[in-house]
Amino acid sequence: MILGTRGLDMAVPRIPLAFFGISLGLAGLAGTWLTAAHEGHVPIDVGRALVALAAAVWCVTLVLYLRYAASVRGAFAADMLDSVGSPFGSLAVITPMLLAAQGIAPYAPGAGRIVVDVFIVLTLLVGGWYTGQWIYGPLELDQLHPGYFLPATGGGLVAAFSAVQVGQERVAEVMFGLGIISWVVLGSMILARLFFRPPMPLGLTPTLAIEVVPASMASVACFALNHDRIDRLSAVLAGYCLLMILAQARLLPLFLRLKFTPGFWAFTFSWTTVATTGLHWTSTGHPPGELVLSYLLLAAATALVGAIAVRTLVAIARHRFLPPAAPPPHSP
């Protein structure tokens, strides 16, 4: 049989599910700028532009991945069952939920609520599927990495924040509980793997940055639920967030030895949520030097994401960003 479409004869670029983390990182930076704008520190237009950029990157990533999945037989099933990369597939539904809360709900509340609700349902379904798959399928402790936080823990906490933005606080409380309990359960297993088992492969080392996400994203969601008030829960979350930040400082020599890969985007959402949490604390707690601290947090988050974005563009220009092309579908 001879293929009638020339495109199927050509190798198709492989698009890993982790590439959806690029748009999530940009959405995280947008959230940091929007938080600073809400406090009156910066113009809101920068945050809006970052939301639009993140949405465009998500759309491009989705189109490229769907093209790859449609062209390579069994690619989607293999990705969803892969013990290393599959958790990142949840970002395909988590990211647009956050973008809708940031970019649609403030200007079209009805449409924003619909879009957020649709993706909250999808996030819940996807998180349930991943949890069931991990129970059903064979999974070794050494295969765990911090990316396993994303489907249920990350999805639940981002959904909690997003639901507040569209005025659905009861839904937000439900999703907050989902995220927090998933964090407690998964966190103990992931830390046990990191403490007592051999080091992760270098390609997965950037995912260690995700260890700060549960506490920082829970803090952001908590501030949304509390309408920017500091209470006991936000203080408890801040304590664990500080611990994870200090742990990351100890890992800095390990991170500095890494060569740039697309996995560096794991650093972006991780640290932009830390910066956003810090902005909430400075604007609510009013510490000495509040304005200086706010600008330092914003500048650090922007510099980090900007540097990784520049390295990404350079790698794309040098044809070193995409993994090796997938083989064309076999035809007997």
Side-chain angles (χ1 to χ4, degrees):
M1 177 179 178
I2 300 176
L3 294 175
T5 304
R6 183 183 175 188
L8 294 178
D9 289 328
M10 300 174 63
V12 177
R14 182 165 66 88
I15 307 298
L17 291 172
F19 277 19
F20 285 102
I22 300 175
S23 53
L24 182 66
L26 294 171
L29 182 61
T32 306
W33 275 86
L34 290 172
T35 301
H38 178 72
E39 302 302 329
H41 300 323
V42 294
I44 198 171
D45 292 340
V46 178
R48 291 172 177 170
L50 287 168
V51 170
L53 176 61
V57 171
W58 179 83
C59 289
V60 170
T61 306
L62 181 65
V63 169
L64 291 176
Y65 181 79
L66 291 176
R67 176 176 177 267
Y68 159 69
S71 301
V72 179
R73 183 178 301 173
F76 177 72
D79 282 344
M80 294 301 290
L81 297 176
D82 180 58
S83 60
V84 174
S86 64
F88 297 99
S90 61
L91 301 182
V93 296
I94 294 172
T95 303
M97 175 173 58
L98 179 58
L99 292 173
Q102 293 174 328
I104 300 177
Y107 313 104
R113 185 177 300 110
I114 292 172
V115 177
V116 168
D117 285 350
V118 167
F119 281 103
I120 285 177
V121 172
L122 290 175
T123 297
L124 184 59
L125 293 174
V126 167
W129 184 89
Y130 276 109
T131 303
Q133 172 59 27
W134 298 337
I135 296 171
Y136 177 82
L139 187 63
E140 300 292 334
L141 182 62
D142 287 357
Q143 294 173 328
L144 285 179
H145 57 77
Y148 275 73
F149 279 129
L150 298 174
T153 303
L157 296 175
V158 171
F161 168 81
S162 301
V164 173
Q165 308 310 308
V166 297
Q168 296 183 337
E169 295 199 6
R170 187 63 68 193
V171 174
E173 290 168 355
V174 171
M175 299 307 292
F176 187 79
L178 184 155
I180 289 291
I181 295 174
S182 298
W183 169 25
V184 172
V185 174
L186 283 170
S188 59
M189 292 188 289
I190 292 172
L191 283 179
R193 183 263 179 266
L194 296 176
F195 285 176
F196 303 115
R197 299 300 300 160
M200 291 190 303
L202 286 179
L204 286 173
T205 299
T207 65
L208 292 173
I210 300 175
E211 281 290 324
V212 303
V213 171
S216 58
M217 191 64 225
S219 295
V220 172
C222 185
F223 275 111
L225 283 165
N226 289 338
H227 305 287
D228 278 339
R229 288 184 297 106
I230 296 175
D231 64 0
R232 289 178 179 175
L233 179 57
S234 58
V236 168
L237 294 171
Y240 190 79
C241 191
L242 285 172
L243 175 66
M244 288 295 101
I245 290 172
L246 293 173
Q248 295 286 308
R250 179 62 184 89
L251 295 173
L252 190 59
L254 176 62
F255 292 150
L256 291 176
R257 291 197 297 267
L258 295 174
K259 293 183 179 179
F260 178 78
T261 67
F264 271 46
W265 281 94
F267 291 105
T268 56
F269 187 72
S270 303
W271 287 103
T272 54
T273 54
V274 169
T276 302
T277 300
L279 287 173
H280 282 294
W281 272 92
T282 55
S283 64
T284 305
H286 303 294
E290 171 188 348
L291 190 60
V292 174
L293 287 172
S294 297
Y295 283 128
L296 286 175
L297 288 167
L298 185 63
T302 305
L304 174 67
V305 178
I308 292 175
V310 169
R311 290 294 301 271
T312 296
L313 293 174
V314 170
I316 292 173
R318 296 176 177 175
H319 305 285
R320 295 177 181 174
F321 190 72
L322 291 175
H330 174 70
S331 178

